[in-house]
């Protein structure tokens, strides 16, 4: 399923290319407190992790930790992405071509905002965090880079290239529902 349009934090409209249907999934309510608490725990525990890491630091261990952190971040991103939508609320919706064209236009604006701003900032954090980790051998930088990679993986889980193709096809009225 390809995300087409998001209405604030209320719902997201998806296109199922196999069944040629639109679905609307409600968003779960987020607990900002939980995310802040988790962030504080991770940052505070990074000092302990760094003490464990320091006697063994080295190039090979850094590469292994980068690979492991990316695997972990991918699965965290996949879990968060799947939990963001209330799967049982998926409702098939029907729109006329003009309405769909307008949703696709707005969806493309959202797409570029997500990709350019969100992806750009996260990529910057990942590059800086992982580079500083390799230079200074401090676990805190690995954690910062990893926290930036989770949203990047979530962007890739949205199938960005296929998403843009579908959005443009709706705008050009190449897809009929």
């Amino acid at each position: 399923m390809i995300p087409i349009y998001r209405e604030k934090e209320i719902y997201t409209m998806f296109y199922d290319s196999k069944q040629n249907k639109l679905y609307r999934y409600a968003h779960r309510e987020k607990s900002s407190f939980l995310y802040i608490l988790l962030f504080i725990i991770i940052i505070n525990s990074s000092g302990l992790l760094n003490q464990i890491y320091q006697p063994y630091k080295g190039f090979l261990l850094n590469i292994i930790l980068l690979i492991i952190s990316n695997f972990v971040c991918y699965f965290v991103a996949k879990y968060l992405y799947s939990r963001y939508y209330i799967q049982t609320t998926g409702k098939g919706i029907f729109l006329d071509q003009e309405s769909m064209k307008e949703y696709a236009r707005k969806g493309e604006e959202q797409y570029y905002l997500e990709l350019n701003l969100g992806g750009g900032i996260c990529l910057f954090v990942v590059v800086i965090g992982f580079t500083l980790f390799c230079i200074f051998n401090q676990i805190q930088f690995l954690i910062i880079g990893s926290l930036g990679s989770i949203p990047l993986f979530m962007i890739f889980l949205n199938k960005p290239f296929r998403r843009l193709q579908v959005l443009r096809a709706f705008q050009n009225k190449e897809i009929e529902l």
Side-chain angles (χ1 to χ4, degrees):
M1 298 240 268
I2 309 293
I4 300 296
Y5 172 76
R6 179 192 346 243
E7 182 64 36
K8 299 179 184 172
E9 292 300 317
I10 302 168
Y11 69 86
T12 298
M13 195 181 326
F14 286 88
Y15 173 65
D16 184 349
S17 58
K18 293 176 184 163
Q19 296 183 12
N20 195 36
K21 289 184 179 179
L22 288 175
Y23 294 95
R24 185 171 76 184
Y25 288 98
H27 297 175
R28 291 188 191 275
E29 290 193 27
K30 297 185 283 188
S31 172
S32 298
F33 175 75
L34 182 64
Y35 289 123
I36 292 170
L37 181 65
L38 186 61
F39 180 75
I40 290 170
I41 290 170
I42 289 171
I43 294 300
N44 286 334
S45 66
S46 67
L48 176 64
L49 292 173
N50 198 49
Q51 288 176 348
I52 295 168
Y53 162 76
Q54 285 303 316
Y56 307 104
K57 66 183 176 189
F59 178 75
L60 184 60
L61 182 58
N62 286 358
I63 298 299
I64 292 170
L65 288 175
L66 284 169
I67 291 169
I68 290 171
S69 72
N70 277 303
F71 274 113
V72 169
C73 289
Y74 172 77
F75 288 110
V76 167
K78 199 169 181 177
Y79 173 77
L80 291 174
Y81 182 76
S82 69
R83 298 271 308 150
Y84 186 67
Y85 303 103
I86 303 172
Q87 301 293 330
T88 58
T89 64
K91 297 177 182 173
I93 56 174
F94 301 97
L95 297 171
D96 61 63
Q97 288 292 97
E98 287 305 312
S99 296
M100 193 57 234
K101 184 178 177 180
E102 183 62 20
Y103 278 116
R105 186 191 62 74
K106 289 178 182 177
E108 189 171 348
E109 289 174 7
Q110 292 172 347
Y111 166 83
Y112 282 116
L113 183 66
E114 288 172 19
L115 200 62
N116 294 334
L117 186 62
I121 290 170
C122 291
L123 185 60
F124 177 76
V125 169
V126 167
V127 169
I128 295 299
F130 288 165
T131 301
L132 291 176
F133 168 66
C134 290
I135 293 171
F136 295 113
N137 293 315
Q138 295 291 316
I139 287 290
Q140 289 87 345
F141 294 122
L142 176 67
I143 291 171
I144 290 169
S146 296
L147 290 175
S149 67
I150 291 172
L152 273 181
F153 283 125
M154 290 177 83
I155 288 172
F156 286 114
L157 288 171
N158 273 320
K159 305 171 188 160
F161 304 113
R162 179 74 179 121
R163 180 178 174 191
L164 185 60
Q165 288 175 337
V166 168
L167 288 168
R168 289 195 174 150
F170 273 120
Q171 289 179 53
N172 297 330
K173 299 181 182 178
E174 296 168 4
I175 298 176
E176 289 190 35
L177 301 172

